[in-house]
Each structure stands twice: as C-alpha cells, then as structure tokens.
Amino acid sequence: MKKILEVLQYGDLDIRFNTDFDVMKNPQALEDLVPKIAMAMTTTLWGGNEMSVLAMIRSLCIADIGVSVNRKEMIEMLDHATEHLAQAMRDAHEAMARSGITVQTFGPGVPPPKRPN
C-alpha cells in the first residue's frame, strides 16, 4: 500500500501534507497514477462520503491554482491534460457499451444497488 496523499489539519493554519511518491525520482509515477485515480473516482469511491472527498480534492486544486505563479498558464495546462483523459474515459465507456456492458453512473453520495451474491 502506498500513501497517495495525506492531508492533516493540526490547527487553523497548520495543515501538513505527506505522500509516499517521490516525483523527483520518478515523474512517470504521476502519469501512471492519474488514470487509476480517475477510474477510482468513477467506480470505487463508495462509502457515503464521496461528496466530501470530492469537495476536498477540488479545494486542494483551487488552493494550488490560487497560489500558482501563473494561474492562467496552470489552468491551460490542466485543461489540456484533462481533455485527453476525458476523451479516454468517453472512449472506454463507448467501447464497453459496444461490447454489451451496461454502464450506470451514480452521483456522489448515492451508493450503487446491492447485487445478489
């Protein structure tokens, strides 16, 4: 098990971050991780707190962009990077549909129905 990102708040202004990934030693690890995270966010993020987890992830993104040296350049880079990921996710969805697999989407906080064993 690897710690992707741990964010702990010890006080009002004491927020600490930790990860097991060393992107300076292995930048490819991030590229390999992104599609896995996207898949988890669309398939396995269940437990009833999806809305809060996604809100915290978005808060981290907003804070990161807000302190960026060049906010517009950062947004353009993210737009470009997510465009390819979004297309890959749409392509995978369409390929599954062509194969006869039914894909159901559930909103945050909505658990999938229980399947009989």
Side-chain angles (χ1 to χ4, degrees), residues 13 23 27 32 70 79 89 97 113:
L13 298 176
V23 297
D32 295 343
N70 189 334
D79 184 45
M89 296 296 282

Side-chain angles (χ1 to χ4, degrees), residues 79-116:
D79 184 45
H80 178 72
T82 58
E83 178 182 2
H84 297 290
L85 177 61
Q87 185 61 51
M89 296 296 282
R90 282 191 299 273
D91 291 348
H93 185 274
E94 290 171 8
M96 288 189 293
R98 283 192 301 272
S99 297
I101 299 170
T102 302
V103 177
Q104 290 182 308
T105 304
F106 301 93
V110 179
K114 300 276 188 218
R115 293 183 184 235

Side-chain angles (χ1 to χ4, degrees), residues 49-68:
N49 64 346
E50 295 85 9
M51 194 172 290
S52 293
V53 169
L54 293 172
M56 288 299 109
I57 292 169
R58 289 184 181 112
S59 294
L60 290 168
C61 293
I62 291 167
D64 181 41
I65 292 169
V67 299
S68 176

Side-chain angles (χ1 to χ4, degrees), residues 2-10 15-21 60:
K2 286 188 176 183
K3 185 184 307 177
I4 294 172
L5 179 63
E6 178 180 54
V7 183
L8 298 173
Q9 182 175 5
Y10 291 91
I15 296 175
R16 301 177 193 181
F17 304 86
N18 194 16
T19 182
D20 289 340
F21 289 86
L60 290 168

